[in-house]
Amino acid sequence: MHDHTHHHPHPNQPDEEDGPFTEYRLLEIALRELLIEKDVITQAELHKTYRMMDDRGPHNGARMVAKAWSDPAYLDLMRRDATAAAKSIGLEPTWLNLIALENTDAVHNVVVCTLCSCYPWPLLGLPPDWYKSRAYRSDVVQNPRKILAEFGTTLPETVEVRVHDSSADMRYLVVPKRPEGTEGWSEEELAELVTRDSMIGVVPALAIEDL
Amino acid sequence: MADPLFKVGDMVRIRDAYPIGHCRTPFYTRGLTGEIERYCGRFANPEELAYRRDGQPAVPLYRVRLPMQKIWPDYTGAPLDTLEVEIFEHWLEPDD
């Protein structure tokens, strides 16, 4: 590193005001201001929607998984009607027809949408880029064990790998296996072990030593 | 509205058809035989929705379980590996 004495000014980092607004940005501002001015929507409604969109994320799915690990009645509800299970803890994925897929010693579930990028947004947030990539979408249905190994997940031949192609109206949440040594943990503590990728099914939940 | 044609455990064949337009039946599943894993309910027909029609009457949707070795004859994973996929009723015929 060269010797750097501060006698000269540094340029500021470019900010969004430094360039011209894009056409879409201008359109958004004009439309939003008009809709508010004409009382079609209110600023408060707009902020409520922003908040709702910001609240989508894997912390929601993790709450469900942690509760399923802790509460047998909740796990039973997840098996029968995962949408009802989401609603019962205050999550409102209103458009979602949810199926919970439970990983066990006998079955490992992994989710893909080969036709596009169907994904349970309210529970996991926006999908990662790799989930939408052609490589993942085509390979995981043909050679799931190879893809899982690329994520570091190697499964014995005695475990059935079950790939779920989210091809129409259902959305999927994988319930990973509960990590060893977590007996007596609270739901909040357990939720820390539940990652987005473990709820897609490409990796297990975190082990205690990963925390 | 007629009852759903199939029940859990029924063996079905996914139609080997290639109509023009949008549909939600992945190519790699067409012509294959599998087992009804569950009935999901009725949903607006995506082949109609794609053209901004209302998709009614709603069509029964199922999940079909297929053995990987049936989908990919050269499958290199374990013989017990499976795939489950959502298929609309008009893409299914009884396998007998």
Side-chain angles (χ1 to χ4, degrees):
Chain A
M1 214 158 82
H2 69 277
D3 207 29
H4 199 128
T5 47
H6 278 86
H7 295 303
H8 61 101
H10 278 228
N12 290 326
Q13 276 208 47
D15 209 340
E16 62 171 4
E17 292 89 352
D18 292 344
F21 284 166
T22 62
E23 204 173 313
Y24 290 115
R25 182 74 202 277
L26 283 172
L27 184 67
E28 182 275 321
I29 295 169
L31 187 65
R32 167 165 45 86
E33 290 183 350
L34 262 174
L35 288 171
I36 291 170
E37 201 176 295
K38 291 181 178 292
D39 291 326
V40 180
I41 57 169
T42 67
Q43 192 76 37
E45 283 170 341
L46 207 56
H47 279 276
K48 197 177 157 207
T49 307
Y50 292 155
R51 205 167 54 237
M52 211 173 67
M53 292 172 94
D54 283 344
D55 282 346
R56 299 180 304 194
H59 58 285
N60 292 324
R63 262 181 73 202
M64 292 182 67
V65 170
K67 196 168 176 60
W69 283 345
S70 316
D71 177 351
Y74 190 77
L75 175 62
D76 186 53
L77 180 60
M78 288 261 280
R79 286 174 179 150
R80 284 183 288 110
D81 185 346
T83 307
K87 288 180 182 165
S88 78
I89 58 167
L91 300 171
E92 278 295 333
T94 41
W95 51 270
L96 212 62
N97 301 293
L98 191 68
I99 291 179
L101 306 165
E102 208 181 331
N103 284 351
T104 64
D105 290 336
V107 179
H108 181 94
N109 298 284
V110 57
V111 181
V112 62
C113 172
T114 58
L115 299 177
C116 46
S117 56
C118 296
Y119 191 75
W121 283 24
L123 302 178
L124 296 186
L126 296 177
D129 284 344
W130 59 258
Y131 184 83
K132 298 181 278 185
S133 73
R134 202 178 299 146
Y136 177 75
R137 282 155 50 219
S138 60
D139 286 357
V140 79
V141 289
Q142 295 182 62
N143 204 344
R145 286 174 189 265
K146 179 178 143 255
I147 292 290
L148 290 173
E150 285 175 17
F151 281 94
T153 307
T154 312
L155 297 159
E157 295 249 314
T158 49
V159 175
E160 173 188 337
V161 171
R162 196 176 285 168
V163 178
H164 300 266
D165 191 348
S166 186
S167 51
D169 289 84
M170 311 310 285
R171 297 294 177 270
Y172 299 90
L173 186 76
V174 172
V175 180
K177 288 201 296 183
R178 180 172 176 160
E180 308 263 333
T182 56
E183 297 76 17
W185 285 34
S186 70
E187 284 176 28
E188 291 71 27
E189 290 168 326
L190 287 169
E192 297 293 317
L193 299 168
V194 187
T195 62
R196 174 195 71 193
D197 291 359
S198 74
M199 293 180 280
I200 301 175
V202 289
V203 294
L206 295 180
I208 298 177
E209 55 269 27
D210 296 330
L211 279 181
Chain B
M1 209 174 274
D3 287 336
L5 280 179
F6 304 107
K7 58 182 194 307
V8 173
D10 282 356
M11 293 304 289
V12 290
R13 188 168 176 274
I14 301 169
R15 284 175 50 218
D16 193 12
Y18 299 85
I20 293 167
H22 175 85
C23 72
R24 306 289 309 175
T25 310
F27 270 67
Y28 69 88
T29 65
R30 296 185 198 176
L32 296 175
T33 300
E35 182 183 347
I36 299 285
E37 187 268 338
R38 78 178 75 188
Y39 169 62
C40 304
R42 286 175 188 272
F43 293 90
N45 185 346
E47 293 156 36
E48 297 288 309
L49 289 179
Y51 298 96
R52 301 206 167 195
R53 296 192 283 255
D54 67 5
Q56 300 301 317
V59 184
L61 179 70
Y62 303 88
R63 280 163 46 79
V64 179
R65 181 176 293 171
L66 302 161
M68 280 292 192
Q69 289 187 330
K70 261 196 187 170
I71 310 175
W72 318 108
D74 55 353
Y75 184 69
T76 53
L80 37 68
D81 291 352
T82 54
L83 179 136
E84 293 178 2
V85 59
E86 297 158 43
I87 305 287
F88 283 93
E89 189 172 87
H90 58 282
W91 277 88
L92 296 174
E93 47 203 22
D95 179 61
D96 29 46

